[in-house]
Amino acid sequence: MAAAAVDSAMEVVPALAEEAAPEAAGLSCLVNLPGEVLEYILCSGSLTAADIGRVSSTCRRLRELCQSSGKVWKEQFRVRWPSLMKHYSPTDYVNWLEEYKVRQKAGLEARKIVASFSKRFFSEHVPCNGFSDIENLEGPEIFFEDELVCILNMEGRKALTWKYYAKKILYYLRQQKILNNLKAFLQQPDDYESYLEGAVYIDQYCNPLSDISLKDIQAQIDSIVELVCKTLRGINSRHPSLAFKAGESSMIMEIELQSQVLDAMNYVLYDQLKFKGNRMDYYNALNLYMHQVLIRRTGIPISMSLLYLTIARQLGVPLEPVNFPSHFLLRWCQGAEGVSLDIFDYIYIDAFGKGKQLTVKECEYLIGQHVTAALYGVVNVKKVLQRMVGNLLSLGKREGIDQSYQLLRDSLDLYLAMYPDQVQLLLLQARLYFHLGIWPEKVLDILQHIQTLDPGQHGAVGYLVQHTLEHIERKKEEVGVEVKLRSHEKHRDVCYSIGLIMKHKRYGYNCVIYGWDPTCMMGHEWIRNMNVHSLPHGHHQPFYNVLVEDGSCRYAAQENLEYNVEPQEISHPDVGRYFSEFTGTHYIPNAELEIRYPEDLESVYETVQNIYSAKKEDVE
C-alpha cells in the first residue's frame, strides 16, 4: 500500500513542478504524505535540480523539506558529483544548495577555458602563463579539477580535443599543488623523519593524473603490518609490538625482540606476499613510485628500503636509511644505548635482497668495492629524496628522442625544488626546453639565473640566449594561418588526407596523418641523414606528418605509406591536439586543423567509402 502511494506520488511530482499550483488536487495529496515518504520521493533521483527548485516554490511544507542545508540538496549534489563527497565531513554544516551553485558555475567556467585552449595554443605548446585563467578563477580548486576529470571520463571516442587540453590543465594544476606541498614538507626540521610522505610527494608529482594519496598508501602498509603482527603473535604472543596502537611511535630497545619483528617481516613480505627486488626490469621508473611498488610488489633498493623501514618503525624497530653507493641499505644498531658507536656496531639490511642482514665486509662485497666509513652513515629525509629524484633523473635522460621527455622534465622540477641553485641542472633544464621548442621566456629567465649564480657559464648561456631570442623573433614574424587546398595545382600529387589511418610499408607501424606538404620541406642535412635520395621519387614527392602508435611523430614519404585495411585507434598523446573524434575508420580533424586543410575532410569521406565499404562488401 505504502509502495503504491510512493509510486503514485512520484508520478505526480513532475506535473506539480511544472504547474506550481498550490490548490491543485495532486499537490494536496502529495503534501499530506509523511515527511519520510516525501523526502524519499525527492531524493529518489528522478528529479533534477531544476525540478527541486520548482517543487520547493509550491508550498511551505515542500520548501522546508528542500531547505538548502538539508538531505534533498545534499542528495542532488552527491548524485551529480559523487567524487566530491569525500571532501566533506559528516559533522560539518554545509549549505548544499550554495555548494551546488558554486560547483555548477566552476564547471561552466572550466569548460569555457578548455574550449578556448585549442584556438589559443594549437600552433604552440601551452606557455607557462597559459594556465593563468584557471589559476585566477574564483571558487574551490577541487571543483575545477573535478570538472576536468569529468571531461576526461567522457565516454566514447569523441571530444578528443577537449580531453587533450583538460588533461594538460589538470596535469599542471595538480603538479603545482604537489610541488608547493613538497616545498613546505622540505621546510620541516631535520628530526621530522616521514620518509614515506616525501616519497609519496615524488610519486604524486610524476603521476598527477593518478589517484595517489598518503592516506591510501599508509592504509595498504597498515594491512601489511597487520599480517606481520599475526605472524609475530605465533613467534611471541606477548611481544610488545602487538600492543602498539595505530599512529604510535614507540620503539623497542631489546635486540631479541627487534629480531623477532624483522623475522616476521621477512616472512610476510618475501615469502607470503612475494615482494622482491626487480632485477629483470631494474631501470623502470615504476620501481620508484611507492603506489606501484605496493601494486606490483617489486622495486629497487631505495623504494624497497623505504617500505621496509616504514613497516619496521611502526612495529618499534628503529632502522635507519644508509645512502650506500650503488645499493641503498638500512642499518640496525646492535650496540648499547649511549655508547659511542662505529660502523661495525650495526647490521646492514638489504631490503632489495629479501631482507638479508649484512656485515660491513659483506656490504663491500655486494657492490664490489671498498668504501669509507662516512658512506655507512645515516641520511636525513632530504638526502633520501635527493637520491630517489636522482634515480628518476637518470632514467629521464634515457628516454628516446621521440618522446616528450616528461620524466626528465618532472625530475628536474623536483630536484630544483630541493636544490634551486644547481647550475648544471638549471642549464640542462634550459637546454631541454630549448630543444623541445617550448617556453622561450622561461628559458631566458633560467639563463639569467644561471648567469647570476655562475658567470663562468657565459659561453653556454650566451649561445642559448642568442638562439632563444631568434626563436621569439621568428614567432613574432609568423602571420596568419597557412591554408592548404587540395584543389590547388601544386598539390595535385597529394594522394592522402589528414585523419586517415595509414601503415608504413617498410617499418610496419600504424599512424594517422595530421599534415602534409607537396614536397619534402626538411633541410638538406635531414634529407641526407634520412637517406631520402635513395627513394625512387626522392624528395620531390608529397611528405606527411604522422602520429605513430609508439608515441613518436614522423615525416613520411608518400611512396612509403599505404592505407591500413584494418584501421584502429592510434594511442598517441597528441591525437587530441589535432582531432576531435575517431569514427572507427578515420579521425575527424578539430576546428583548428580543418581551417588549415579545409578540403581534406571531403576527400577522407570519399576514401573511406571507396576503401572500407568495398572491403565490407567483399567480406559479405
Side-chain angles (χ1 to χ4, degrees):
M1 190 75 173
V6 169
D7 290 340
S8 176
M10 289 180 69
E11 292 172 3
V12 171
V13 169
L16 294 175
E18 290 296 330
E19 296 169 10
E23 55 276 355
L27 179 61
S28 177
C29 172
L30 183 67
V31 296
N32 288 329
L33 290 172
E36 294 83 356
V37 176
L38 274 174
E39 194 173 73
Y40 174 81
I41 295 169
L42 295 170
C43 294
S44 65
S46 60
L47 301 179
T48 66
D51 291 333
I52 296 298
R54 289 191 288 265
V55 166
S56 65
S57 67
T58 57
C59 69
R60 180 184 297 175
R61 180 137 194 257
L62 289 174
R63 185 164 59 251
E64 289 174 351
L65 276 170
C66 299
Q67 59 179 304
S68 59
S69 59
K71 185 177 179 181
V72 174
W73 277 110
K74 179 179 181 180
E75 185 63 11
Q76 282 288 323
F77 189 94
R78 186 196 68 79
V79 170
R80 184 76 183 274
W81 302 293
S83 61
L84 289 174
M85 295 306 292
K86 63 186 177 183
H87 298 288
Y88 297 93
S89 169
T91 59
D92 291 344
Y93 170 84
V94 179
N95 186 325
W96 291 106
L97 174 56
E98 187 60 30
E99 290 292 285
Y100 192 102
K101 291 178 180 177
V102 174
R103 170 60 182 84
Q104 181 91 331
K105 182 181 178 182
L108 293 172
E109 289 294 326
R111 283 175 175 261
K112 181 180 177 182
I113 290 173
V114 170
S116 74
F117 263 52
S118 181
K119 185 174 183 179
R120 294 162 61 194
F121 305 122
F122 179 82
S123 300
E124 60 176 338
H125 285 267
V126 181
C128 296
N129 60 0
F131 302 99
S132 58
D133 291 346
I134 286 282
E135 291 178 324
N136 295 331
L137 285 174
E138 297 179 0
E141 190 175 286
I142 57 170
F143 287 178
F144 300 116
E145 287 193 13
D146 187 66
E147 186 63 33
L148 295 171
V149 171
C150 288
I151 293 172
L152 288 176
N153 292 336
M154 291 168 65
E155 293 184 8
R157 300 161 171 177
K158 298 183 178 181
L160 299 181
T161 300
W162 274 52
K163 292 176 182 178
Y164 174 78
Y165 287 107
K167 182 177 180 179
K168 280 194 172 298
I169 295 169
L170 186 60
Y171 204 99
Y172 173 83
L173 286 178
R174 288 190 174 175
Q175 280 200 328
Q176 292 307 300
K177 182 165 61 177
I178 295 162
L179 201 61
N180 290 335
N181 291 340
L182 175 62
K183 289 177 179 178
F185 172 80
L186 293 171
Q187 297 303 312
Q188 299 284 352
D190 288 341
D191 58 354
Y192 184 76
E193 297 185 331
S194 181
Y195 298 94
L196 181 65
E197 183 179 352
V200 170
Y201 282 133
I202 292 173
D203 190 349
Q204 290 174 328
Y205 192 81
C206 294
N207 303 282
L209 302 183
S210 300
D211 189 12
I212 303 166
S213 71
L214 177 61
K215 181 180 178 182
D216 290 343
I217 288 178
Q218 185 61 62
Q220 293 179 64
I221 292 176
D222 288 344
S223 65
I224 297 175
V225 171
E226 289 179 11
L227 292 175
V228 175
C229 286
K230 184 177 179 180
T231 300
L232 188 58
R233 194 171 286 110
I235 299 173
N236 181 356
S237 61
R238 296 184 177 182
H239 197 285
S241 294
L242 300 175
F244 289 173
K245 296 180 181 179
E248 281 189 349
S249 58
S250 303
M251 289 296 164
I252 301 166
M253 304 313 298
E254 294 83 352
I255 298 297
E256 179 59 30
L257 294 176
Q258 293 179 8
S259 180
Q260 291 173 359
V261 170
L262 298 182
D263 288 343
M265 281 177 55
N266 289 342
Y267 170 75
V268 170
L269 283 173
Y270 305 112
D271 295 335
Q272 187 175 346
L273 298 179
K274 307 300 182 184
F275 276 84
K276 62 181 180 179
N278 195 348
R279 300 179 188 276
M280 299 298 292
D281 191 18
Y282 192 90
Y283 297 104
N284 186 331
L286 298 181
N287 293 323
L288 284 151
Y289 304 145
M290 294 308 296
H291 83 284
Q292 287 290 348
V293 171
L294 290 165
I295 291 171
R296 299 161 72 236
R297 299 190 180 184
T298 190
I300 59 173
I302 191 166
S303 55
M304 295 291 287
S305 292
L306 290 187
L307 175 62
Y308 198 98
L309 172 72
T310 302
I311 296 171
R313 289 195 169 192
Q314 283 189 219
L315 292 169
V317 182
L319 300 184
E320 298 173 302
V322 177
N323 208 9
F324 205 65
S326 304
H327 200 102
F328 201 89
L329 296 171
L330 301 170
R331 72 179 191 181
W332 174 27
C333 183
Q334 304 293 296
E337 185 178 5
V339 177
S340 179
L341 304 172
D342 62 25
I343 61 174
F344 298 101
D345 292 313
Y346 294 89
I347 285 177
Y348 300 88
I349 296 176
D350 180 12
F352 182 82
K354 296 189 174 183
K356 185 176 181 181
Q357 297 177 6
L358 308 171
T359 63
V360 169
K361 185 176 286 293
E362 288 171 329
C363 289
E364 294 181 349
Y365 180 77
L366 180 69
I367 63 171
Q369 66 181 80
H370 173 73
V371 296
T372 63
L375 294 176
Y376 289 90
V378 66
V379 287
N380 61 19
V381 174
K382 192 172 183 179
K383 287 293 184 182
V384 172
L385 299 187
Q386 179 187 5
R387 178 149 176 176
M388 289 191 82
V389 175
N391 286 338
L392 288 171
L393 197 58
S394 297
L395 294 175
K397 292 176 182 178
R398 291 169 174 258
E399 286 185 339
I401 59 172
D402 294 320
Q403 304 301 316
S404 66
Y405 291 96
Q406 192 62 58
L407 179 58
L408 180 56
R409 290 161 63 180
D410 291 344
S411 53
L412 279 169
D413 289 342
L414 289 167
Y415 208 106
L416 291 169
M418 293 186 285
Y419 302 97
D421 295 335
Q422 285 278 339
V423 170
Q424 291 305 315
L425 292 185
L426 286 167
L427 194 56
L428 175 60
Q429 188 177 57
R431 284 172 172 158
L432 178 60
Y433 292 158
F434 177 79
H435 169 74
L436 295 173
I438 61 175
W439 302 344
E441 291 78 10
K442 186 171 182 178
V443 171
L444 293 178
D445 290 341
I446 295 170
L447 294 173
Q448 184 177 6
H449 184 47
I450 293 171
Q451 191 64 31
T452 303
L453 292 172
D454 183 5
Q457 296 291 334
H458 177 74
V461 168
Y463 174 85
L464 285 173
V465 167
Q466 177 186 343
H467 285 80
T468 301
L469 290 173
E470 291 174 358
H471 172 76
I472 293 173
E473 287 303 315
R474 283 195 301 271
K475 295 294 291 183
K476 290 179 180 178
E477 292 171 3
E478 292 179 1
V479 289
V481 173
E482 182 184 6
V483 177
K484 295 182 179 179
L485 301 174
R486 301 182 65 81
S487 57
H488 197 285
E489 176 63 22
K490 69 177 181 179
H491 299 152
R492 65 182 182 278
D493 294 331
V494 177
C495 296
Y496 307 131
S497 309
I498 58 168
L500 287 174
I501 309 297
M502 310 298 290
K503 193 177 189 70
H504 197 280
K505 294 178 182 178
R506 181 176 180 184
Y507 298 118
Y509 61 70
N510 298 313
C511 59
V512 57
I513 297 172
Y514 70 96
W516 50 257
D517 297 310
T519 60
C520 182
M521 301 300 290
M522 301 298 280
H524 295 297
E525 185 177 352
W526 186 90
I527 291 173
R528 184 177 64 253
N529 291 339
M530 300 304 292
N531 205 22
V532 172
H533 292 301
S534 67
L535 296 172
H537 295 92
H539 68 282
H540 295 297
Q541 63 175 309
F543 271 69
Y544 297 84
N545 300 103
V546 295
L547 302 176
V548 184
E549 57 193 347
D550 64 2
S552 63
C553 303
R554 305 193 187 185
Y555 196 49
Q558 180 165 281
E559 67 182 78
N560 282 336
L561 294 176
E562 62 184 356
Y563 296 119
N564 190 324
V565 294
E566 296 181 353
Q568 54 189 291
E569 281 189 89
I570 304 298
S571 57
H572 190 287
D574 284 343
V575 161
R577 180 178 180 182
Y578 303 102
F579 303 101
S580 61
E581 180 182 348
F582 179 65
T583 67
T585 57
H586 63 281
Y587 281 92
I588 296 177
N590 59 25
E592 299 307 314
L593 188 62
E594 191 172 2
I595 288 172
R596 289 153 175 80
Y597 298 90
E599 297 177 348
D600 271 42
L601 192 55
E602 183 178 350
S603 174
V604 168
Y605 289 145
E606 292 176 3
T607 300
V608 168
Q609 186 69 25
N610 294 334
I611 300 296
Y612 302 119
S613 297
K615 182 193 173 191
K616 185 177 180 181
E617 290 174 3
D618 291 341
V619 170
E620 291 174 351

